[in-house]
Amino acid sequence: DTTQAPSGFTYSIRLRSDSTDDFTVRFKPGVNTFVYDVFVRLRYTEFNSDGDSAQKSIEFPIDNAQNIFTRNLSLGQFTRFFVSPPDMLRFFRNELSNNSNITRKFRGIDYVFAGGSQDLKLFIDISRTQNSFVQNRPEFSNIDDGLGIFSSRSMSTFRNVVLADKASLDAINSLPGFTP
């Protein structure tokens, strides 16, 4: 189990381009998870001029929560990360093309927590070392002629985070191609 949702805690986001108040993403680290990535996912349906549609999403990486290690977290305690709404909206705006043949309809926002095993943590630790420090990557006896790492990862998603107000929905609908 990667994460545990805070009981009685309502997830909500207040989005404004001019906001000076960050919103909080909270989770409790899983017992057997040693490294995390945390994202805010914007889900939408994209329609083209031919009438075809596709479900799409964009993931905003919470910068201070990328490849965090549980040694930096208190197991059993909720961990908090703060997200800047203007930074997140700017990221989404930059990721979306401005194409007059495409319209988009907002479907929801999710919090996504990806947790990795101890082997993945070790691989990341070794990959981060400076060139002056040489350490062999771990070898696994059950893989022949393979490169990389064979490890486990789990994902927990808290779907449909509540938008705090109509202005938050308006901020999303102001993104390229979005319509109310």
Side-chain angles (χ1 to χ4, degrees), residues 93-166:
R93 192 172 309 285
N94 290 336
E95 292 294 310
L96 292 163
S97 64
N98 208 352
N99 182 336
S100 60
N101 295 323
I102 292 176
T103 59
R104 298 177 177 103
K105 181 78 172 164
F106 172 69
R107 295 296 177 217
I109 289 185
D110 308 324
Y111 291 153
V112 180
F113 304 92
S117 70
Q118 191 168 15
D119 290 332
L120 180 59
K121 178 192 171 303
L122 177 61
F123 184 82
I124 292 169
D125 280 343
I126 292 170
S127 297
R128 285 185 174 172
T129 59
Q130 300 297 323
N131 292 337
S132 62
F133 180 84
V134 178
Q135 183 174 353
N136 292 330
R137 288 197 167 97
E139 293 186 20
F140 297 89
S141 61
N142 59 343
I143 300 174
D144 294 324
D145 298 321
L147 296 174
I149 184 170
F150 183 77
S151 185
S152 64
R153 177 180 86 152
S154 65
M155 305 272 293
S156 290
T157 302
F158 299 105
R159 292 184 54 87
N160 297 317
V161 174
V162 176
L163 295 177
D165 52 23
K166 184 179 178 320

Side-chain angles (χ1 to χ4, degrees), residues 2 8 22 28 45 48 72 75 88 116 119 140 154-155 158 173:
T2 305
D22 293 347
K28 187 185 290 187
T45 303
N48 67 25
N72 300 333
L75 288 176
M88 189 173 77
D119 290 332
F140 297 89
S154 65
M155 305 272 293
F158 299 105
N173 285 330

